[in-house]
Amino acid sequence: MLANMPYANVVKIPPGIRLFNKIADFRAWRRQLLLDSQTLGYVPTMGALHQGHLALVTSAKSRCDHVALTIFVNPAQFSPTEDLSTYPRTLQNDLNQLAALGPGVASAVLVPTVHEMYPGGIELDVTKQKGAFVEVKGLSHQLEGVTRPHFFRGVATVVSKFLNIVQPEQVFFGQKDVQQCSVIKTMIRDLHFPVQMNICPTVREQDGLAMSSRNAYLTPSQRQHALVVHKALSTIESLYRQGQRHAPTLIKAGTDVIDQARRQVQADGSIDWDIALDYLAINSPEDLSDISGDINPQEGGIVSTAVFVGKTRLIDNLLLDVETVS
């Protein structure tokens, strides 16, 4: 069913999925679900869907009557130097993948315009932005926030907008974006959004690489070398399981793995790109503060990293004696 005519000449909408690009139209559909006493699970995305996203949709369907997704490449979380214009936009393929999950799994997809989401306009330069924005203090400045100080402000803002628009009973995020999960979980608590947040395990390729839309940027050679990210984390996990609790020692072990991979790339005369470590850290699951001594097994720790493979920045993480993100 065509829920919105502007897409009729752009994409072929699979049967059983309603596609909206107007917030008012989506809200009318959502209101009917409420009147029918049916629950809604929500999966926020920027599109370029992969198996990680689809796992979230499947999880949402197992807990709710209906599942809605948003597909929106959010300008507020990109800086002027980042890949907003080249970020993959694959709406037809996204819809086809959702349809392939089976009838009735994904009920609706909202693909709003930038103008509707930011009625006052949106500048990539934070100093020039006008309007309402959301910021979560204490969890946004470290780790990803060092390299991308604007990022979590943009994420918190757009997720708060979508929670207000979609009004789901439950929302689903992936652990791969572990700091984002902490930020959003705190925002939901502090702003009293009436929604249950679910954090689902990271979905990986068979060789361990965490699934990400940005993996599409990797050349075949870079894709092979990108496995160093998971290898570094696995090295840390193995040492921890063997009884090593000293966080700096564990970090050095993981850093050594990445340094070795970087030297191998630099020694290969046929490769004109590099591997560069952005950060590798072990943080408290409580407040994301750095653990500078031993990890307390009763409290655990979050190991997270960001590594440039060529120009592609890959993030990944693992939890040590932590069941869920705080």
Side-chain angles (χ1 to χ4, degrees):
M1 175 179 179
L2 289 180
N4 228 292
M5 292 307 294
Y7 286 117
N9 298 321
V10 179
V11 297
K12 182 178 180 180
I13 306 171
I17 297 178
R18 293 173 180 259
L19 183 63
F20 301 92
N21 80 326
K22 295 293 185 182
I23 292 172
D25 294 339
F26 178 89
R27 280 178 160 162
W29 173 80
R30 174 63 178 116
R31 176 171 172 75
Q32 189 58 52
L33 296 188
L34 289 172
L35 293 174
D36 293 340
S37 299
Q38 294 185 317
T39 58
L40 180 64
Y42 168 46
V43 179
T45 82
M46 293 207 301
L49 302 186
H50 51 67
Q51 288 300 319
H53 297 112
L54 301 181
L56 297 179
V57 174
T58 301
S59 180
K61 180 60 179 176
S62 71
R63 304 187 189 190
C64 303
D65 297 318
H66 292 272
V67 179
L69 295 87
T70 52
I71 294 177
F72 182 68
V73 182
N74 176 34
Q77 65 195 64
F78 290 80
S79 76
T81 61
E82 292 181 327
D83 58 344
L84 174 61
S85 63
T86 60
Y87 193 88
R89 292 163 171 82
T90 57
L91 180 57
Q92 183 66 71
N93 186 56
D94 294 344
L95 294 173
N96 293 344
Q97 289 190 78
L98 292 173
L101 291 175
V105 178
S107 296
V109 179
L110 171 62
V111 190
T113 63
V114 173
H115 175 71
E116 266 215 297
M117 292 301 295
Y118 295 96
I122 182 68
E123 295 278 352
L124 297 187
D125 184 344
V126 173
T127 64
K128 297 179 180 179
Q129 291 176 352
K130 298 179 180 179
F133 293 86
V134 177
E135 190 169 8
V136 179
K137 297 288 189 178
L139 297 172
S140 301
H141 67 280
Q142 62 272 73
L143 302 173
E144 287 292 291
V146 174
T147 301
R148 310 179 72 190
H150 55 283
F151 179 70
F152 290 113
R153 179 175 181 266
V155 168
T157 296
V158 80
V159 172
S160 67
K161 288 172 181 274
F162 277 130
L163 289 178
N164 183 38
I165 293 165
V166 177
Q167 298 190 3
E169 279 77 21
Q170 300 193 46
V171 63
F172 295 78
F173 290 88
Q175 182 197 307
K176 188 182 80 69
D177 301 299
V178 66
Q179 186 176 5
Q180 174 177 280
C181 289
S182 293
V183 168
I184 298 302
K185 190 170 184 179
T186 299
M187 183 193 76
I188 287 174
R189 180 198 69 190
D190 289 359
L191 298 185
H192 301 284
F193 282 105
V195 61
Q196 177 183 334
M197 181 172 176
N198 299 275
I199 301 173
C200 302
T202 300
V203 177
R204 300 182 179 278
E205 303 285 357
Q206 288 188 347
D207 56 15
L209 183 68
M211 290 190 176
S212 169
S213 300
R214 286 190 168 91
N215 290 351
Y217 296 155
L218 298 169
T219 66
S221 176
Q222 290 170 347
R223 171 64 179 77
Q224 180 180 356
H225 286 279
L227 296 179
V228 69
V229 180
H230 183 55
K231 183 179 179 181
L233 294 177
S234 297
T235 297
I236 291 174
E237 183 177 37
S238 177
L239 289 173
Y240 183 80
R241 297 305 172 206
Q242 294 170 31
Q244 178 59 259
R245 297 288 183 265
H246 191 233
T249 300
L250 292 170
I251 291 171
K252 184 180 185 305
T255 301
D256 287 346
V257 171
I258 296 170
D259 284 344
Q260 181 181 6
R262 176 179 54 80
R263 290 192 294 270
Q264 290 176 346
V265 166
Q266 292 175 342
D268 189 332
S270 66
I271 294 179
D272 60 358
W273 47 268
D274 202 357
I275 290 176
L277 176 63
D278 189 348
Y279 66 82
L280 176 60
I282 301 179
N283 297 80
S284 164
E286 180 68 26
D287 58 6
L288 296 185
S289 60
D290 287 336
I291 298 177
S292 58
D294 286 351
I295 301 170
N296 183 342
Q298 279 68 51
E299 298 177 0
I302 300 173
V303 187
S304 55
T305 188
V307 179
F308 285 95
V309 180
K311 294 183 179 180
T312 305
R313 186 172 181 273
L314 304 176
I315 65 170
D316 202 350
N317 66 83
L318 61 84
L319 306 181
L320 301 177
D321 285 328
V322 181
E323 292 184 4
T324 59
V325 180
S326 297

